[in-house]
C-alpha cells in the first residue's frame, strides 16, 4: 500500500469513529430529552398510632390568708403532702421539680376597690417529668387521697398535663418504607392506566414527620404521620 494513503485512511477512520460517538451521544441526549417530561409525581402516606412515652404533670395548689408567714407555713404543709403522695406512688425525687411559690397581695393589686376575703394568695407548683406515663395517668384521676388531706389541685389550663412521644427514630425507617411503597403503588397504577412502564426514581422527598394527639380526649395516644413525595420516570 502506498504510504501516502495511510494518513488519509487514519483520518477517515477517526472521522467515522467521531461521527459514531457523536451519534451515540446525540441519541442518548435525544432519549433523555424525550423522557425528561415523562415523569409522574406521587405522594405516599404513612400513619401510625403510638402511646406517649413521656409526660409532664404540673400539680398546682394554693393557700390563702391574711398573715403571710402563716399562709406560707400552710402552703409548705400542702407541698409536703404532695411530695409524699408522689413518692409513695413510685415517683423518684429526680423526676420532681419545685418552683418558687407565687405570692399575690390582693390589697396591693386591688384596682377596683373591692374587698377581698384574704389579703394573700400563695400558689405552689410541683412538676413531675417522667417516662412513667401509666403511673401519672392513674394518679391524675385518683387524687382522693390529697383531697381528703385538704389539698385541692388546680384545674387551671395553665397547668395542663403534657404527653409526648420520644421514640420517633425507632419507627422512622418502617414508616418511610411504608410511605414509599404506597407512593410506588400509586405511580404503578398511573403507569398502567397510561400504557407506560414505571421507570426508576427521579427524585424523592422524605417529607416531614408530624406528631399530634389522636383526639382531645386521649392526649396520651399520638398519631404519627409522614407524607413522602416521589418522582418516577415513565418508559414506553
Amino acid at each position: 500500500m502506498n504510504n501516502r494513503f495511510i494518513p488519509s485512511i487514519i483520518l477517515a477512520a477517526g472521522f467515522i469513529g467521531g461521527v459514531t460517538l457523536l451519534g451515540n451521544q446525540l441519541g442518548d441526549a435525544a432519549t433523555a430529552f424525550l423522557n425528561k417530561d415523562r415523569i409522574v409525581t406521587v405522594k405516599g402516606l404513612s400513619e401510625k398510632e403510638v402511646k406517649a412515652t413521656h409526660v409532664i404533670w404540673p400539680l398546682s395548689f394554693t393557700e390563702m390568708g391574711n398573715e403571710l408567714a402563716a399562709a406560707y407555713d400552710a402552703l409548705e404543709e400542702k407541698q409536703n403532702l404532695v411530695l409524699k403522695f408522689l413518692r409513695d406512688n413510685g415517683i423518684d425525687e429526680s423526676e420532681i421539680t419545685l418552683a418558687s411559690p407565687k405570692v399575690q397581695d390582693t390589697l396591693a393589686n386591688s384596682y377596683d376597690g373591692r374587698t377581698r376575703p384574704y389579703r394573700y394568695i400563695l400558689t405552689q407548683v410541683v412538676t413531675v417529668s417522667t417516662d412513667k406515663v401509666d403511673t401519672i395517668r392513674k394518679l391524675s384521676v385518683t387524687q382522693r387521697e390529697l383531697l381528703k388531706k385538704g389539698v385541692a389541685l388546680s384545674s387551671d389550663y395553665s397547668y395542663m398535663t403534657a404527653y409526648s412521644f420520644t421514640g420517633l427514630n425507632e419507627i422512622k425507617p418502617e414508616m418511610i418504607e411504608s410511605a414509599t411503597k404506597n407512593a410506588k403503588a400509586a405511580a404503578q397504577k398511573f403507569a398502567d392506566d397510561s400504557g407506560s412502564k414505571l421507570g426508576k426514581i427521579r427524585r424523592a422527598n422524605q417529607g416531614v414527620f408530624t406528631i399530634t394527639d389522636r383526639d382531645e380526649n386521649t392526649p396520651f395516644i399520638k398519631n404519627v404521620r409522614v407524607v413522602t413525595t416521589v418522582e418516577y420516570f415513565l418508559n414506553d
Side-chain angles (χ1 to χ4, degrees):
M1 181 181 291
N2 194 325
N3 289 339
R4 66 181 179 178
F5 291 109
I6 294 176
S8 298
I9 294 172
I10 295 174
L11 179 61
F15 177 76
I16 294 171
V19 170
T20 302
L21 178 61
L22 178 60
N24 290 336
Q25 291 177 340
L26 289 175
D28 292 341
T31 301
F33 179 78
L34 290 173
N35 287 334
K36 75 181 184 68
D37 291 328
R38 290 179 54 75
I39 59 174
V40 58
T41 302
V42 290
K43 293 183 181 296
L45 169 66
S46 180
E47 289 184 295
K48 187 178 183 67
E49 281 190 3
V50 295
K51 180 181 174 183
T53 55
H54 191 81
V55 59
I56 296 177
W57 184 30
L59 297 87
S60 171
F61 46 94
T62 61
E63 182 60 47
M64 296 178 287
N66 292 317
E67 296 295 331
L68 183 58
Y72 184 84
D73 288 342
L75 184 71
E76 191 170 34
E77 289 182 11
K78 288 184 177 180
Q79 174 183 294
N80 291 334
L81 289 172
V82 170
L83 293 176
K84 184 177 185 304
F85 171 74
L86 294 173
R87 288 192 294 263
D88 289 348
N89 286 280
I91 304 302
D92 300 330
E93 292 285 351
S94 61
E95 300 171 317
I96 302 173
T97 303
L98 295 177
S100 299
K102 296 180 181 179
V103 180
Q104 179 184 356
D105 187 341
T106 61
L107 181 61
N109 298 327
S110 179
Y111 300 106
D112 54 12
R114 290 186 296 174
T115 302
R116 311 295 181 181
Y118 296 101
R119 176 173 179 178
Y120 297 106
I121 301 176
L122 283 68
T123 302
Q124 176 67 65
V125 180
V126 177
T127 303
V128 178
S129 178
T130 179
D131 293 339
K132 301 168 184 173
V133 175
D134 289 338
T135 299
I136 297 303
R137 284 186 57 209
K138 179 181 177 181
L139 295 181
S140 64
V141 297
T142 57
Q143 303 168 16
R144 186 177 303 176
E145 181 180 338
L146 289 175
L147 289 173
K148 286 181 177 179
K149 296 178 180 180
V151 181
L153 299 180
S154 172
S155 57
D156 192 317
Y157 282 102
S158 301
Y159 306 108
M160 297 297 291
T161 305
Y163 295 92
S164 59
F165 176 69
T166 58
L168 183 59
N169 287 337
E170 285 74 18
I171 65 173
K172 259 186 178 182
E174 173 192 347
M175 292 190 65
I176 292 174
E177 180 182 359
S178 175
T180 303
K181 286 182 178 178
N182 290 338
K184 185 175 183 180
Q188 185 64 62
K189 181 67 168 61
F190 185 91
D192 294 342
D193 292 344
S194 63
S196 304
K197 293 182 180 179
L198 191 64
K200 295 181 179 179
I201 292 178
R202 177 174 181 262
R203 184 184 295 119
N205 186 328
Q206 170 188 294
V208 177
F209 279 84
T210 58
I211 304 175
T212 57
D213 295 346
R214 185 182 68 178
D215 58 75
E216 61 181 10
N217 298 314
T218 55
F220 50 88
I221 298 178
K222 302 296 181 181
N223 183 59
V224 184
R225 187 176 189 270
V226 65
V227 178
T228 61
T229 302
V230 186
E231 292 183 358
Y232 284 93
F233 284 107
L234 293 178
N235 302 322
D236 291 332

